[in-house]
Amino acid sequence: MSHPMTRREALTLAGSAAASLLWTRSPGRAAGPPHRPVPRRAPNLVVFLTDDQAQMAMGAYGHPFLKTPQMDRLAAEGVRFTEAFVTNALCAPSRASILTGRYAHAHGVLANGGGPAFRNPPGLRAGDVTFVDLLHQVGYHTALVGKWHLPSWPAGFDAWVILPGQGVYQDPEMIANGMRLHLRGHVDDVVGDQALAVLQHRPVDRPFCLLVHFKAPHRAWVPAPRFVAAFEGVEVPVPPAFADGLHGRSEAVRQTMMALADLPDFREQGVPAALPPEERARRNLQHMVTNYCRVLLGVDENVGRVLDFLDAQGLTEHTAVLFTSDNGFFLGEYGLYDKRLMYEPAIRVPMLLRYPAGLAAGWVDTTHLVLNLDIAPTLLELAGVPVPPGIHGRSWLPLLEGEEPAWREAFLYQYFEYPAWHCVRKHRGVRTRDWKLIHFWEQPEEWELYDLTADPDERHNLAARPAYAARLAQLRAQLAALRREVGDVDPPGPPPTAAPCTRDIGQGRDPAARTPPSR
């Protein structure tokens, strides 16, 4: 039974949660400037995670009109990676990979739960140890506030207060150790309140690890009242390949249901369905991007509140702060919205790391391919905790200490949720520094090949061109080798036939909704 609470009452509750909500996990479950040595003292850790934030949706990454001074502050005071990617551009699989450092096929969280084939998607299993578990075991005070977005309950945390499922933007319901509460205010302000309360009531004799998971900028982009008028009169730039359509791409891509012209969210804002598709797409682009940026203003303010608290309490020097997103997002590229596909806007994410005690400020790494899989081993090594075997990611610590270790030249991408919302067929691929190969592996099998140096916007599929047959063969072999390396193998026999995906499923009309289970 929920009841409304003011934000002041919520602060009191969160403080109490930080002090008393205990949950112990069930058993089993390019060269930069000179860097100061990482100290032996275990640092505090803060991880900011947004939902669906495209890499370019930040001032530090060059957005044309969105100003994010607090995110930019982290970039200016730490390292900003430009070549940062996720290995599955879908919320739940990516979040599980961040926690475990493992590919989706290994941790088993393959889907969000959209569509009838995924009514009861699995969460993290008892044996899937997370970096939070390991930090908790060595004495860190661990806490989570905000959007969890996994079917299993949080574990390994001393305190957790989460949104059920996707959560809502205004007056959100939250769950604190199984107790449902109805809080007042804009969701990311509430998340910021809870984060500050956890910090205020933390045990001061232990290092802490705090995960702050915002809802924004996930659809349906409802800004806080103070930002409703932001960007009025701003004309959203039309992205490259906006009007190209999907010509020359695989049938699997042409059959997806992610066309910006069909996005229904803005009908009440004067975008009638009767308009020609291109004009409807342009108007939807304007409404979507401005509201997408408005909700990020709230995230930026609340990041600043946490950073200011660290400053005021003298915690900044010995606190490592990481900022990233669970996946990118199409903001009109190819006339699309959402994510899922292995194209650059969906798989690229912001990745910032600030650690004044061990990392020089203002370093932009434009060379190394870094992944969401790397977050767990990096934080563990920063804390001096051994990285367990079976983790697919790699710690950035050698990079941050100014070394030049041998580094990955390519990575594997996986997507499994089909048939489901948006009708994006299962696919996998390999991305190198210069090339990308995408394989829709269920029958009918299809391939896409892109030269990222000559064609960074991925407009020309080269897979069927005879001149690129040798490159195609080389990347197919590299894809197979990457899969073997991480234990991603297919059962014997021919690939299965892709199941049909109806319009009802693709447009999200399936009545099943994924939320955490009842306790």
Side-chain angles (χ1 to χ4, degrees):
M1 185 76 178
S2 64
H3 61 279
M5 301 185 72
T6 65
R7 286 176 64 190
R8 182 177 296 276
E9 291 170 330
L11 282 168
T12 302
L13 169 74
S16 173
S20 64
L21 293 184
L22 302 178
W23 183 303
T24 302
R25 186 171 187 135
S26 301
R29 201 182 99 100
H35 291 72
R36 298 190 292 277
V38 175
R40 294 185 182 277
R41 169 180 170 177
N44 302 309
L45 304 170
V46 175
V47 178
F48 291 114
L49 183 68
T50 54
D51 193 312
D52 289 0
Q53 184 175 1
Q55 187 182 80
M56 57 84 66
M58 182 185 294
Y61 283 97
H63 194 276
F65 61 83
L66 174 63
K67 306 302 180 187
T68 53
Q70 304 304 326
M71 301 177 202
D72 296 355
R73 173 182 168 189
L74 287 173
E77 296 173 359
V79 59
R80 174 170 65 90
F81 293 98
T82 66
E83 303 306 295
F85 301 89
V86 297
T87 55
N88 185 314
L90 191 63
C91 302
S94 180
R95 287 164 186 259
S97 289
I98 289 170
L99 288 165
T100 65
R102 304 170 76 200
Y103 276 101
H105 75 275
H107 59 61
V109 181
L110 305 182
N112 279 352
F118 299 96
R119 283 197 174 96
N120 297 295
L124 289 174
R125 299 163 298 205
D128 289 318
V129 177
T130 71
F131 75 83
V132 178
D133 289 315
L134 298 172
L135 293 172
H136 189 263
Q137 290 170 15
V138 299
Y140 268 77
H141 178 72
T142 55
L144 162 70
V145 297
K147 190 170 185 177
W148 176 238
H149 209 293
L150 288 169
S152 48
W153 286 102
F157 294 95
D158 290 300
W160 55 268
V161 185
I162 64 171
L163 298 166
Q166 290 285 358
V168 296
Y169 269 106
Q170 191 63 35
D171 298 336
E173 184 180 58
M174 299 194 81
I175 307 172
N177 199 29
M179 181 173 63
R180 290 183 178 256
L181 307 159
H182 189 187
L183 308 181
R184 295 177 185 165
H186 193 266
V187 63
D188 287 327
D189 294 335
V190 172
V191 170
D193 290 343
Q194 307 261 347
L196 291 176
V198 167
L199 291 172
Q200 289 164 351
H201 293 85
R202 76 193 189 282
V204 296
D205 60 340
R206 297 163 59 190
F208 62 83
C209 174
L210 171 61
L211 277 54
V212 185
H213 291 190
F214 296 105
K215 174 175 173 60
H218 194 278
R219 186 178 173 187
W221 314 297
V222 180
R226 64 189 182 277
F227 298 126
V228 167
F231 312 121
E232 287 290 344
V234 170
E235 185 68 26
V236 174
V238 175
F242 174 75
D244 283 9
L246 302 176
H247 307 295
R249 301 178 190 272
S250 61
E251 183 68 16
V253 171
R254 294 198 299 274
Q255 290 182 354
T256 60
M257 296 182 185
M258 296 164 45
L260 189 54
D262 298 330
L263 180 61
D265 296 57
F266 306 114
R267 298 276 168 79
E268 71 279 7
Q269 299 186 37
V271 186
L275 285 172
E278 184 173 343
E279 177 60 24
R280 192 164 66 247
R282 287 180 179 274
R283 293 202 195 181
N284 279 343
L285 176 73
Q286 181 72 30
H287 288 301
M288 180 182 74
V289 174
T290 51
N291 282 293
Y292 182 97
C293 291
R294 286 165 181 153
V295 295
L296 279 169
L297 294 177
V299 171
D300 194 66
E301 277 195 359
N302 283 285
V303 167
R305 294 171 67 200
V306 174
L307 298 183
D308 290 346
F309 179 90
L310 297 177
D311 287 346
Q313 298 296 312
L315 296 168
T316 298
E317 180 76 5
H318 290 286
T319 300
V321 180
L322 187 143
F323 183 103
T324 191
S325 187
D326 56 4
N327 46 251
F329 201 77
F330 292 109
L331 294 171
E333 295 90 350
Y334 325 116
L336 301 178
Y337 72 101
D338 205 71
K339 56 267 186 177
R340 303 168 195 264
L341 288 165
M342 194 193 163
Y343 296 148
E344 295 291 288
I347 67 174
R348 282 184 174 269
V349 290
M351 192 73 76
L352 314 174
L353 180 62
R354 185 190 76 173
Y355 183 28
L359 176 62
W363 179 24
V364 182
D365 187 311
T366 62
T367 303
H368 300 98
L369 300 175
V370 300
L371 307 176
N372 57 346
L373 305 177
D374 300 334
I375 291 172
T378 298
L379 296 180
L380 289 172
E381 191 166 1
L382 277 172
V385 178
V387 177
I391 283 185
H392 299 134
R394 296 185 59 184
S395 170
W396 304 326
L397 206 56
L399 306 179
L400 305 183
E401 292 175 333
E403 300 178 13
E404 281 296 328
W407 198 254
R408 67 172 61 90
E409 296 294 327
F411 66 89
L412 172 68
Y413 181 83
Q414 305 168 317
Y415 180 82
F416 298 99
E417 189 180 79
Y418 179 89
W421 297 350
H422 299 294
C423 291
V424 176
R425 279 179 49 191
K426 298 174 185 177
H427 60 289
R428 58 176 68 104
V430 56
R431 190 201 187 277
T432 73
R433 297 178 183 279
D434 303 313
W435 291 88
K436 181 183 294 181
L437 179 69
I438 306 173
H439 181 204
F440 293 91
W441 51 270
E442 291 188 325
Q443 298 186 48
E445 293 183 77
E446 295 181 280
W447 299 87
E448 294 190 6
L449 173 67
Y450 296 98
D451 179 347
L452 300 175
T453 301
D455 180 25
D457 296 321
E458 300 169 289
R459 303 174 86 161
H460 306 291
N461 178 14
L462 307 175
R465 300 190 186 183
Y468 295 91
R471 177 67 66 178
L472 180 68
Q474 180 257 322
L475 289 169
R476 287 182 64 166
Q478 191 168 12
L479 173 59
L482 282 172
R483 295 186 63 212
R484 286 193 299 270
E485 180 182 327
V486 299
D488 179 22
V489 296
D490 293 326
T497 300
C501 188
T502 67
R503 179 161 293 275
D504 279 353
I505 296 171
Q507 293 181 337
R509 293 174 181 165
D510 180 69
R514 190 222 25 82
T515 59
S518 299
R519 290 194 67 211

